[in-house]
Amino acid sequence: MQKEVKYGILGAIGIILLVLLFWNGYTVDTGEVAIISNFGKVSKIETEGLHFKIPFVQSRHYMETREKTYIFGKTDEMDTTMEVSTKDMQSIKLEFTVQASITNPMKLYTAFQSKYESRFIRPRVKEIVQATISRYTIEEFVSKRAEISKQIYEDLKDDFALYGISVSNVSLVNHDFSDDYEKAIEKKKVAEQEVETAKAHQQKLLVEQENKVKLAEYELKEKELKAKANAIESNSLTPQLLKKMMIEKWNGELPKVQGNSSNLIKLDE
C-alpha cells in the first residue's frame, strides 16, 4: 500500500513536471529573439530554436529583429500621416517610411521594454522629420526632396544607433499642401506665365523696331550713295565731253527742220 502511494506521488510529480516543462518550453523563430527576465530584471537574450524557462521565476518577451518598415501614413488599420511645418510656416501632410532592424535588442529593451515603437521610434521619427523640414521653405522642400531625405536619414541613423537600431533607408512617399498654398502656387504660375508672355511680346516689338531702324539706315545709305554717284556724274559732264558725245552719236545728216542755227554742232570749235 505504501509503495502504491509512493509510486502515485512520484507519478503525479512526474506529470506535473512534464506539464510544467511543456508549459514553459518555447521556440524562437528566425528573425526574432526572446528577452528573458528574472523577476522582471533582464538577464539574457535567446535566439532562434527551442528553449525552456524557469517557472514562476523567468518571463519572456519576443522582439522582432529582422528589418521592418515603419509606415507613417494611411494603412488599412490607421492613419499615421505626419503634419509638419516649413520655415515659412506652411503646413505639409507627409507620408513617410523608415526601414530599420534591431541590432542590440538588450539595449533597446532595457531602455523602452516592449513598447519601444510607441515610446521611441515613432515619436523620434516625427521629431527629426519636423526639425529637418523646418529649416526649409516650402518651395525648397519641393525642389530639394532628395537632400531633405538624406539629412533625415543621417540624423535618424545616428540617433537610433544609440539604442541598437540600424536604419537602412528612409523615403518621402507622398506629400500634400494646404488648399491656400495650392491656390497661391496656381496664381504664381499664372503670373509668371503672364510675365513671360509680356517679355516675349516686348522682345518681338524690340526686334521689329531694330529691323525698321536697320532698314531706314540702309535706305538712307542707298540714297547717299546715289546722290554721290549723281554728283560725280554731273561734275564729269564738261562742255567738251558733251560735244564729243554728240559727235559720236551724229549720223552725218543735217537737221531737216529749219530753226536757230545755234543748235547745230560747230565742228571747228
Side-chain angles (χ1 to χ4, degrees):
M1 184 68 177
Q2 292 180 349
K3 289 183 179 181
E4 293 178 355
V5 173
K6 183 178 179 180
Y7 289 144
I9 293 173
L10 291 175
I13 293 173
I15 293 173
I16 292 173
L17 290 175
L18 288 174
V19 171
L20 290 175
L21 186 65
F22 176 79
W23 186 258
N24 289 279
Y26 62 94
T27 58
V28 179
D29 295 333
T30 301
E32 66 179 16
V33 297
I35 311 294
I36 305 302
S37 302
N38 293 335
F39 296 110
K41 182 179 179 180
V42 178
S43 60
K44 62 179 180 178
I45 302 292
E46 296 287 9
T47 57
E48 59 185 279
L50 177 62
H51 303 278
F52 298 93
K53 66 181 184 67
I54 302 174
F56 311 113
V57 175
Q58 294 181 325
S59 60
R60 72 180 184 277
H61 298 278
Y62 291 104
M63 179 180 287
E64 186 177 357
T65 57
R66 66 174 65 89
E67 186 171 87
K68 180 180 178 181
T69 299
Y70 298 92
I71 299 174
F72 297 81
K74 294 180 180 180
T75 63
D76 294 337
E77 300 174 355
M78 63 180 71
D79 185 357
T80 55
T81 302
M82 288 187 281
E83 187 165 352
V84 296
S85 298
T86 60
K87 184 178 180 180
D88 50 350
M89 302 305 295
Q90 294 292 334
S91 179
I92 304 175
K93 289 183 178 180
L94 191 67
E95 293 185 16
F96 193 81
T97 61
V98 177
Q99 291 175 268
S101 57
I102 298 172
T103 56
N104 193 330
M106 178 72 79
K107 181 182 290 188
L108 184 62
Y109 187 84
T110 301
F112 303 102
Q113 296 187 346
S114 59
K115 297 181 180 180
Y116 56 89
E117 181 174 343
S118 60
R119 290 181 177 178
F120 174 66
I121 292 178
R122 289 193 172 275
R124 190 60 180 142
V125 168
K126 291 180 180 180
E127 181 181 343
I128 289 178
V129 170
Q130 174 60 78
T132 303
I133 292 179
S134 66
R135 298 197 289 267
Y136 297 84
T137 65
I138 195 164
E139 291 184 354
E140 290 173 335
F141 169 82
V142 174
S143 61
K144 298 180 179 181
R145 283 185 57 178
E147 176 184 319
I148 293 172
S149 295
K150 183 179 180 181
Q151 186 61 54
I152 292 173
Y153 167 75
E154 294 294 337
D155 291 344
L156 282 176
K157 183 182 70 172
D158 295 340
D159 196 64
F160 279 27
L162 298 175
Y163 294 96
I165 302 176
S166 175
V167 178
S168 61
N169 185 52
V170 300
S171 179
L172 288 168
V173 178
N174 194 15
H175 63 271
D176 186 21
F177 303 130
S178 65
D179 293 339
D180 291 340
Y181 179 74
E182 294 283 1
K183 292 178 182 178
I185 287 294
E186 186 62 29
K187 288 181 180 179
K188 183 177 180 180
K189 289 181 179 179
V190 171
E192 289 176 347
Q193 186 61 40
E194 290 177 349
V195 170
E196 291 300 322
T197 301
K199 285 182 179 179
H201 182 64
Q202 291 175 356
Q203 188 66 27
K204 179 182 177 182
L205 293 177
L206 181 60
V207 172
E208 290 177 350
Q209 189 64 30
E210 289 177 349
N211 289 338
K212 288 180 180 180
V213 171
K214 290 180 180 179
L215 181 60
E217 291 176 348
Y218 174 79
E219 291 177 348
L220 178 60
K221 288 181 179 180
E222 188 178 19
K223 289 180 180 179
E224 290 176 351
L225 291 174
K226 287 182 178 180
K228 288 181 181 180
N230 291 334
I232 292 171
E233 184 177 359
S234 297
N235 293 333
S236 64
L237 294 176
T238 61
Q240 291 77 10
L241 179 61
L242 291 173
K243 288 181 179 182
K244 183 177 182 298
M245 292 173 63
M246 292 178 65
I247 292 171
E248 289 176 350
K249 292 184 178 181
W250 185 44
N251 58 8
E253 296 181 359
L254 293 175
K256 295 179 180 182
V257 179
Q258 296 181 355
N260 191 351
S261 60
S262 63
N263 294 328
L264 296 175
I265 300 174
K266 297 179 180 182
L267 300 175
D268 57 346
E269 290 183 3

